[in-house]
Amino acid sequence: MMMSRMLRIAAAIAVSGALAACSGSAASPSPKVYTYKDMTVGFIQTGSESGWRAANTSSFKETATADGINLKFYDSQNKIENQITAFNQYIQDPAVNVIILAAVGTTGYDDVLKAAKAANKVVVIEDRRIEADASLYYTYIGSDFDKEGNNGAAAMCTALKGMSGANVVEIGGDQAASAAIDRAKGFREGIANCTDESIKILDTQSAPAWDPVQGKAIMESDLKKYSGQIQGVYAHNDELAIAAIQAIDAAGLKAGTDVKVIGFDATADGFKYLISGEMFADIECNPLLAPQVYKAALDALNGVTGQAAWVPSQEGQFFASQGADALKAILATRKY
Ligand code: GZL
């Protein structure tokens, strides 16, 4: 009697265990927690057009090495069509689980973003904003270029303070890039608010792919066409500002005295021209974005939600009026 009861209990335990296993009610494995060593990143960089870009590339390569991230790097040579090719390569690469884009332009990425989403690849946009449905990427980490343009305008208002009817020429970056589009927009918003003088944009031209050789040619042409009429130059990055200064000097004028030049990026080269007084102001743009971008990508892999659609970079501005010694001391602390 006892034996048959024992057998019935044993059988019941065996059946319930089997049922639990079948029904999955047994403890399911906890989800994998990704670390940086699990990340293989396909990084689509614009090119190598400026000191800013070199510092941005270094940030991603050095941080990847430090964190043990497997980084695949693609230089797009400033061509959007190359970025589409690279995107498709990384989508098809089974090893790549994160794609990071530094966009050459603002449009043309919808199809590859949709394909990356369908392939369950994490996408993070760094540096420049793009015109695309924000649900197609995890987040955008980059500067507020419109605000940078506002700051550039305020600096120009200060530079030309008290001049009635001051004239400015603009040397723009690649006109496809949101950095150039928004710096131009922010400048126009800002000069409208100059209190002491009215500033007129006499001429505006863009340097394709941010090419400083083109930038210098634009300045040389402006100096001939508007001889004696130019009080300020608004250049969309330091290389274009320095090219303008070289053209101004070659024309027998003194940058910093006869013509006030505003640049962007605040690179080491830009600082040299602030220290010499040839550049009036340099609006900082932060290229050291890799730690923030990689962390966002890791959060995405680990299913973290609630990420902001845009995380604006923190940055400042520098003026020749701070003085050579103070600027040299600041430059000594900077990484680019
Ligand atoms: C700004 C970046 C711009 C730099 C240029 O975030 O996109 O691109 O200002 C670079 O130097 O070409």
Side-chain angles (χ1 to χ4, degrees):
M1 184 62 169
M2 175 58 78
M3 180 57 78
S4 60
R5 188 165 182 276
M6 292 280 284
L7 282 173
R8 277 202 308 275
I9 291 169
I13 289 169
V15 168
S16 63
L19 286 174
C22 294
S23 67
S25 61
S28 53
S30 54
K32 173 180 173 59
V33 176
Y34 287 85
T35 68
Y36 284 133
K37 289 173 179 45
D38 300 313
M39 272 171 61
T40 295
V41 171
F43 178 33
I44 306 170
Q45 180 57 289
T46 60
S48 53
E49 72 277 4
S50 67
W52 189 98
R53 190 60 54 192
N56 186 244
T57 292
S58 295
S59 177
F60 280 88
K61 289 183 174 176
E62 289 167 8
T63 305
T65 302
D67 291 346
I69 293 167
N70 180 22
L71 180 67
K72 298 186 176 198
F73 179 83
Y74 183 91
D75 177 333
S76 308
Q77 306 289 318
N78 274 283
K79 293 185 183 339
I80 294 178
E81 57 269 29
N82 290 347
Q83 299 206 307
I84 304 306
T85 300
F87 232 112
N88 285 314
Q89 282 171 1
Y90 291 143
I91 289 166
Q92 286 147 31
D93 184 339
V96 170
N97 49 13
V98 173
I99 298 173
I100 296 171
L101 173 67
V104 168
T106 54
T107 58
Y109 300 100
D110 289 350
D111 290 345
V112 287
L113 287 168
K114 287 171 187 168
K117 192 175 181 80
N120 290 316
K121 307 268 177 163
V122 167
V123 175
V124 178
I125 309 297
E126 75 102 9
D127 176 18
R128 299 174 186 167
R129 69 171 176 78
I130 61 172
E131 303 288 345
D133 180 346
S135 69
L136 294 175
Y137 52 86
Y138 186 69
T139 188
Y140 159 50
I141 296 174
S143 299
D144 184 342
F145 302 116
D146 188 72
K147 183 179 174 190
E148 289 181 357
N150 295 160
N151 290 336
M156 190 64 82
C157 291
T158 304
L160 305 179
K161 194 175 179 67
M163 287 185 183
S164 59
N167 294 320
V168 168
V169 293
E170 180 178 33
I171 304 175
D174 192 293
Q175 57 188 355
S178 56
I181 293 165
D182 293 351
R183 283 171 183 163
K185 174 175 173 284
F187 183 65
R188 286 154 176 77
E189 291 163 354
I191 58 171
N193 300 328
C194 278
T195 49
D196 292 341
E197 66 294 304
S198 62
I199 291 178
K200 181 183 171 195
I201 299 175
L202 212 50
D203 203 322
T204 180
Q205 295 180 64
S206 292
W210 305 75
D211 180 0
V213 173
Q214 298 269 352
K216 188 173 184 181
I218 290 168
M219 191 69 234
E220 287 165 348
S221 162
D222 286 344
L223 286 164
K224 288 192 182 84
K225 187 174 179 183
Y226 305 103
S227 177
Q229 301 174 58
I230 298 171
Q231 285 80 42
V233 178
Y234 182 72
H236 285 190
N237 77 354
D238 283 346
E239 283 75 13
L240 296 173
I242 292 163
I245 289 166
Q246 289 166 349
I248 290 162
D249 292 348
L253 298 171
K254 185 85 184 88
T257 307
D258 302 322
V259 185
K260 303 292 195 320
V261 179
I262 309 284
F264 287 83
D265 291 347
T267 58
D269 283 345
F271 261 79
K272 286 177 194 152
Y273 286 84
L274 287 174
I275 289 165
S276 71
E278 293 169 282
M279 193 186 303
F280 181 84
D282 204 346
I283 313 302
E284 186 181 37
C285 183
N286 180 7
L288 308 178
L289 301 177
Q292 280 179 274
V293 174
Y294 288 145
K295 177 61 172 63
L298 188 62
D299 285 348
L301 287 175
N302 284 317
V304 173
T305 57
Q307 172 76 11
W310 173 28
V311 181
S313 305
Q314 303 305 312
E315 45 208 22
Q317 45 196 313
F318 302 95
F319 298 87
S321 60
Q322 290 175 257
D325 291 345
L327 290 165
K328 285 174 185 171
I330 294 166
L331 178 57
T333 68
R334 293 171 66 81
K335 291 184 181 174
Y336 65 97

